[in-house]
Amino acid sequence: MKVVVASANPAKIRAVQDALAQIFTGQTLQCSGQSTESGVSAQPMSSEETLQGALNRLQAVAAAAPGADYYVALEAGLDGDCSFAWIAISHQGRLSKTRSASLPLPPAALMAIQQGEELGDVIDRMFAQHNVKQQGGAIAMLTNHLLTRSGVYQQAIILAMIPFIQPQLFTQ
């Protein structure tokens, strides 16, 4: 089964690979990533902008890498004082989407983001780290590594797969 993720971020690709491996046990998954443009701000500031970024990435990766069984896009952004991600999945022309869990952000992080910084850069500085967004993410740092970005994304990916796992319940 061929899966293309609309990102070159190893944490996102790993999340998709691990989630789909749980669903499609015993099947060989060929999961690759391809960098795509979101068409929105580097740090989306609303649920609507974040969703648009995921949908733009999904459309771009499907056009750039035809022939995959599944296309997956993950776009992180803000909704009020929380960070979260939209997950969009395309399979045989059908779309499914869902949101990840929300992560409350410290006021200092929100202020820096509102002044134009990206969350990953802010968290790097707050925790004296480098490139957390391609590792455990803000989630890992803020939860003392109880959760990771990849793990939270895995749950949302599995939830977005429901219409493809249970297609008989989603036909009209």
mmCIF file of all heavy atoms in Angstrom, residues 17-35:
data_model
loop_
_atom_site.group_PDB
_atom_site.id
_atom_site.type_symbol
_atom_site.label_atom_id
_atom_site.label_comp_id
_atom_site.label_asym_id
_atom_site.label_seq_id
_atom_site.Cartn_x
_atom_site.Cartn_y
_atom_site.Cartn_z
ATOM 1 N N GLN A 17 2.913 6.617 9.371
ATOM 2 C CA GLN A 17 3.361 5.223 9.229
ATOM 3 C C GLN A 17 2.878 4.369 10.403
ATOM 4 O O GLN A 17 2.318 3.290 10.214
ATOM 5 C CB GLN A 17 4.895 5.182 9.151
ATOM 6 C CG GLN A 17 5.504 3.800 9.202
ATOM 7 C CD GLN A 17 5.368 3.021 7.916
ATOM 8 O OE1 GLN A 17 5.458 3.582 6.834
ATOM 9 N NE2 GLN A 17 5.157 1.724 8.025
ATOM 10 N N ASP A 18 3.090 4.857 11.613
ATOM 11 C CA ASP A 18 2.720 4.087 12.806
ATOM 12 C C ASP A 18 1.204 3.918 12.932
ATOM 13 O O ASP A 18 0.721 2.845 13.295
ATOM 14 C CB ASP A 18 3.301 4.735 14.060
ATOM 15 C CG ASP A 18 4.823 4.650 14.120
ATOM 16 O OD1 ASP A 18 5.423 3.898 13.315
ATOM 17 O OD2 ASP A 18 5.414 5.343 14.967
ATOM 18 N N ALA A 19 0.448 4.963 12.625
ATOM 19 C CA ALA A 19 -1.016 4.875 12.722
ATOM 20 C C ALA A 19 -1.570 3.892 11.701
ATOM 21 O O ALA A 19 -2.395 3.031 12.039
ATOM 22 C CB ALA A 19 -1.641 6.263 12.534
ATOM 23 N N LEU A 20 -1.118 4.003 10.462
ATOM 24 C CA LEU A 20 -1.643 3.115 9.424
ATOM 25 C C LEU A 20 -1.173 1.683 9.614
ATOM 26 O O LEU A 20 -1.889 0.742 9.259
ATOM 27 C CB LEU A 20 -1.291 3.643 8.037
ATOM 28 C CG LEU A 20 -1.937 4.997 7.680
ATOM 29 C CD1 LEU A 20 -1.624 5.383 6.248
ATOM 30 C CD2 LEU A 20 -3.428 5.001 7.932
ATOM 31 N N ALA A 21 0.002 1.486 10.207
ATOM 32 C CA ALA A 21 0.466 0.130 10.516
ATOM 33 C C ALA A 21 -0.465 -0.535 11.535
ATOM 34 O O ALA A 21 -0.670 -1.758 11.487
ATOM 35 C CB ALA A 21 1.898 0.164 11.031
ATOM 36 N N GLN A 22 -1.042 0.248 12.431
ATOM 37 C CA GLN A 22 -1.996 -0.302 13.399
ATOM 38 C C GLN A 22 -3.295 -0.716 12.713
ATOM 39 O O GLN A 22 -3.927 -1.694 13.106
ATOM 40 C CB GLN A 22 -2.321 0.732 14.480
ATOM 41 C CG GLN A 22 -1.182 1.017 15.428
ATOM 42 C CD GLN A 22 -1.589 2.060 16.457
ATOM 43 O OE1 GLN A 22 -2.497 1.819 17.247
ATOM 44 N NE2 GLN A 22 -0.922 3.200 16.434
ATOM 45 N N ILE A 23 -3.692 0.041 11.704
ATOM 46 C CA ILE A 23 -4.947 -0.244 11.000
ATOM 47 C C ILE A 23 -4.773 -1.395 10.020
ATOM 48 O O ILE A 23 -5.598 -2.304 9.952
ATOM 49 C CB ILE A 23 -5.437 1.019 10.256
ATOM 50 C CG1 ILE A 23 -5.809 2.111 11.267
ATOM 51 C CG2 ILE A 23 -6.626 0.701 9.349
ATOM 52 C CD1 ILE A 23 -6.023 3.476 10.650
ATOM 53 N N PHE A 24 -3.716 -1.352 9.249
ATOM 54 C CA PHE A 24 -3.489 -2.324 8.177
ATOM 55 C C PHE A 24 -2.433 -3.343 8.597
ATOM 56 O O PHE A 24 -1.397 -3.484 7.949
ATOM 57 C CB PHE A 24 -3.079 -1.603 6.890
ATOM 58 C CG PHE A 24 -4.113 -0.640 6.393
ATOM 59 C CD1 PHE A 24 -3.872 0.728 6.424
ATOM 60 C CD2 PHE A 24 -5.330 -1.082 5.904
ATOM 61 C CE1 PHE A 24 -4.820 1.636 5.962
ATOM 62 C CE2 PHE A 24 -6.290 -0.186 5.447
ATOM 63 C CZ PHE A 24 -6.033 1.177 5.473
ATOM 64 N N THR A 25 -2.699 -4.057 9.672
ATOM 65 C CA THR A 25 -1.742 -5.047 10.175
ATOM 66 C C THR A 25 -1.509 -6.119 9.110
ATOM 67 O O THR A 25 -2.432 -6.532 8.417
ATOM 68 C CB THR A 25 -2.254 -5.704 11.467
ATOM 69 O OG1 THR A 25 -3.531 -6.286 11.213
ATOM 70 C CG2 THR A 25 -2.365 -4.701 12.591
ATOM 71 N N GLY A 26 -0.274 -6.508 8.971
ATOM 72 C CA GLY A 26 0.072 -7.556 8.025
ATOM 73 C C GLY A 26 0.263 -7.077 6.599
ATOM 74 O O GLY A 26 0.669 -7.854 5.747
ATOM 75 N N GLN A 27 -0.053 -5.818 6.317
ATOM 76 C CA GLN A 27 0.146 -5.294 4.973
ATOM 77 C C GLN A 27 1.451 -4.504 4.916
ATOM 78 O O GLN A 27 1.858 -3.884 5.891
ATOM 79 C CB GLN A 27 -1.011 -4.386 4.570
ATOM 80 C CG GLN A 27 -2.317 -5.128 4.367
ATOM 81 C CD GLN A 27 -3.365 -4.240 3.737
ATOM 82 O OE1 GLN A 27 -3.073 -3.463 2.842
ATOM 83 N NE2 GLN A 27 -4.591 -4.352 4.216
ATOM 84 N N THR A 28 2.084 -4.533 3.769
ATOM 85 C CA THR A 28 3.301 -3.757 3.577
ATOM 86 C C THR A 28 2.925 -2.324 3.242
ATOM 87 O O THR A 28 2.164 -2.092 2.299
ATOM 88 C CB THR A 28 4.157 -4.349 2.441
ATOM 89 O OG1 THR A 28 4.450 -5.706 2.775
ATOM 90 C CG2 THR A 28 5.433 -3.564 2.267
ATOM 91 N N LEU A 29 3.429 -1.392 4.051
ATOM 92 C CA LEU A 29 3.166 0.032 3.829
ATOM 93 C C LEU A 29 4.411 0.684 3.272
ATOM 94 O O LEU A 29 5.504 0.540 3.822
ATOM 95 C CB LEU A 29 2.793 0.727 5.136
ATOM 96 C CG LEU A 29 1.469 0.374 5.777
ATOM 97 C CD1 LEU A 29 1.319 1.101 7.101
ATOM 98 C CD2 LEU A 29 0.323 0.727 4.864
ATOM 99 N N GLN A 30 4.238 1.403 2.203
ATOM 100 C CA GLN A 30 5.307 2.212 1.637
ATOM 101 C C GLN A 30 4.896 3.659 1.901
ATOM 102 O O GLN A 30 4.074 4.238 1.183
ATOM 103 C CB GLN A 30 5.432 1.932 0.144
ATOM 104 C CG GLN A 30 6.524 2.697 -0.537
ATOM 105 C CD GLN A 30 6.527 2.436 -2.033
ATOM 106 O OE1 GLN A 30 5.496 2.124 -2.628
ATOM 107 N NE2 GLN A 30 7.691 2.582 -2.636
ATOM 108 N N CYS A 31 5.434 4.222 2.972
ATOM 109 C CA CYS A 31 5.042 5.554 3.426
ATOM 110 C C CYS A 31 6.184 6.526 3.170
ATOM 111 O O CYS A 31 7.280 6.345 3.700
ATOM 112 C CB CYS A 31 4.693 5.505 4.912
ATOM 113 S SG CYS A 31 3.923 6.996 5.546
ATOM 114 N N SER A 32 5.929 7.535 2.359
ATOM 115 C CA SER A 32 6.961 8.525 2.062
ATOM 116 C C SER A 32 6.396 9.921 2.282
ATOM 117 O O SER A 32 5.180 10.118 2.334
ATOM 118 C CB SER A 32 7.437 8.374 0.622
ATOM 119 O OG SER A 32 6.366 8.620 -0.282
ATOM 120 N N GLY A 33 7.290 10.870 2.414
ATOM 121 C CA GLY A 33 6.889 12.251 2.606
ATOM 122 C C GLY A 33 7.358 13.116 1.464
ATOM 123 O O GLY A 33 8.372 12.831 0.827
ATOM 124 N N GLN A 34 6.589 14.141 1.207
ATOM 125 C CA GLN A 34 6.953 15.099 0.164
ATOM 126 C C GLN A 34 6.611 16.493 0.669
ATOM 127 O O GLN A 34 5.482 16.752 1.083
ATOM 128 C CB GLN A 34 6.190 14.805 -1.127
ATOM 129 C CG GLN A 34 6.567 15.742 -2.232
ATOM 130 C CD GLN A 34 6.150 15.212 -3.588
ATOM 131 O OE1 GLN A 34 6.052 14.005 -3.794
ATOM 132 N NE2 GLN A 34 5.906 16.118 -4.506
ATOM 133 N N SER A 35 7.587 17.365 0.641
ATOM 134 C CA SER A 35 7.385 18.734 1.089
ATOM 135 C C SER A 35 6.355 19.427 0.200
ATOM 136 O O SER A 35 6.414 19.312 -1.031
ATOM 137 C CB SER A 35 8.714 19.488 1.045
ATOM 138 O OG SER A 35 8.542 20.790 1.542
#
